[in-house]
Amino acid sequence: MKLLRHGPAGAEKPALVDSDGKIRDLSGLVADIGGDVLSDAGLARIAAADLKTLPEVSPGRIGPCVAGTRKFICVGLNYSDHAKETGKAPPEEPILFMKATSAIVGPNDEVEIPRGSVKADWEVELGIVIGTRAKYVSEDKALDHVAGYCVVNDVSERAFQSERGGQWTKGKSHDTFGPIGPYLVTRDEVPDPQNLALWLDVDGVRRQTGTTANMIFGVRHLVSYISQFMTLEPGDIIATGTPPGVGLGIKPEPVFLKVGQVMTLGIEGLGDQRQQTIEAKD
């Protein structure tokens, strides 16, 4: 299933894309796309519904595809070809950092360039959406705790990230730095998350082209590994790293985002995003 949330920010309603590509309102069936709805039982209840009887909607704004996210966990340098472009050795264990949940916005919402920014950057990433509580899970059970997958743009400010005291979170957490969606695609529709094409353009110029096959640590390993350090809860998101082509890695000179540019990005089977950059708001 392709689940989504639509409507004004903070007042989104749950919906689903049916087999004909029509968007059907789920408000009469579930309160939102989050919590227990993300469990296997919750998703099965939606799948069992007669979708043709649900109201068709014209969604307007598409919101973040998941509600109630408590942790937004990111993985650094998780593509062998991206690690190479940064000049760093591939990590021996996953590099983890947190992105503020207040950075989460819809897939086509505007992205703010922070005040004082000189190195704003883009990163298309596969997002894992947790469906059921995961603590100390094994790799062979890891996918049982995954509701599905989504597109993430892990927008970053490299100067804040690396030149302001070494705190990656500073460069990752500005408001709007976490577009997710448009869809939460349930795991049954993604039989192999390690075989998905990713891409990102800036102003129509292709910047990133990659495949999740080049992940150093795959989805199963990441869910299991992270669950050894913290409990993963329904609605938590894991951004799994980015392929090469980020602005920081462009030769001979890095290229960074400025106000008035447009990012378009997507992942095979998971949908596309489009964001225009604007000046940061109060």
Side-chain angles (χ1 to χ4, degrees):
M1 293 184 293
K2 288 184 173 67
L3 304 174
L4 69 148
R5 301 170 68 244
H6 67 99
E12 292 93 349
K13 295 181 178 181
L16 171 150
V17 181
D18 70 15
S19 58
D20 296 323
K22 297 178 180 178
I23 297 178
R24 302 283 181 172
D25 182 69
L26 292 175
S27 297
L29 196 63
V30 297
D32 211 338
I33 308 299
D36 291 343
V37 172
L38 299 174
S39 68
D40 286 353
L43 295 173
R45 186 158 67 95
I46 295 175
D50 183 357
L51 301 182
K52 302 299 183 184
T53 67
L54 299 177
E56 185 179 349
V57 294
S58 298
R61 173 185 177 268
I62 302 295
C65 58
V66 184
T69 298
R70 297 176 64 184
K71 291 188 288 296
F72 198 164
I73 306 157
C74 300
V75 184
L77 298 176
N78 193 34
Y79 281 69
S80 54
D81 39 7
H82 174 54
K84 183 178 180 180
E85 78 171 341
T86 65
K88 297 178 181 178
E92 296 183 4
E93 292 190 44
I95 297 171
L96 304 181
F97 60 92
M98 306 296 285
K99 194 175 186 85
T101 55
S102 55
I104 294 174
V105 290
N108 304 316
D109 288 346
E110 295 170 325
V111 166
E112 295 184 1
I113 302 298
R115 293 177 182 175
S117 170
V118 292
K119 295 182 180 180
D121 207 346
W122 55 83
E123 294 188 26
V124 59
E125 305 199 5
L126 173 67
I128 305 168
V129 180
I130 298 299
T132 55
R133 182 179 181 272
K135 184 175 184 179
Y136 297 125
V137 300
S138 61
E139 283 197 37
D140 63 323
K141 299 291 186 182
L143 293 188
D144 294 343
H145 297 271
V146 173
Y149 305 92
C150 65
V151 181
V152 174
N153 189 354
D154 177 20
V155 185
S156 310
E157 213 299 336
R158 304 298 187 186
F160 295 179
Q161 176 183 349
S162 302
E163 301 168 24
R164 298 290 295 275
Q167 299 283 335
W168 280 26
T169 302
K170 293 177 185 176
K172 297 286 187 171
S173 294
H174 187 79
D175 297 349
T176 74
F177 268 24
I180 63 170
Y183 314 119
L184 188 170
V185 180
T186 52
R187 73 172 188 271
D188 59 299
E189 292 199 8
V190 187
D192 185 2
Q194 306 307 147
N195 187 32
L196 301 175
L198 308 85
W199 61 273
L200 182 145
D201 294 352
V202 179
D203 290 340
V205 176
R206 181 58 49 94
R207 293 300 190 186
Q208 288 188 275
T209 302
T211 170
T212 57
N214 288 338
M215 280 187 188
I216 298 169
F217 306 105
V219 169
R220 289 178 183 273
H221 182 83
L222 290 174
V223 173
S224 174
Y225 181 88
I226 295 169
S227 79
Q228 312 304 310
F229 299 94
M230 65 192 83
T231 300
L232 295 169
E233 299 166 299
D236 286 351
I237 298 168
I238 303 170
T240 57
T242 198
V246 298
L248 181 66
I250 293 175
K251 309 297 183 191
E253 294 291 334
V255 175
F256 297 111
L257 292 167
K258 301 185 184 309
V259 170
Q261 295 190 285
V262 174
M263 292 178 283
T264 50
L265 58 147
I267 299 178
E268 179 182 359
L270 304 187
D272 302 339
Q273 300 185 354
R274 181 187 186 279
Q275 300 109 29
Q276 182 167 350
T277 56
I278 63 170
E279 292 184 356
K281 301 175 182 178
D282 291 337

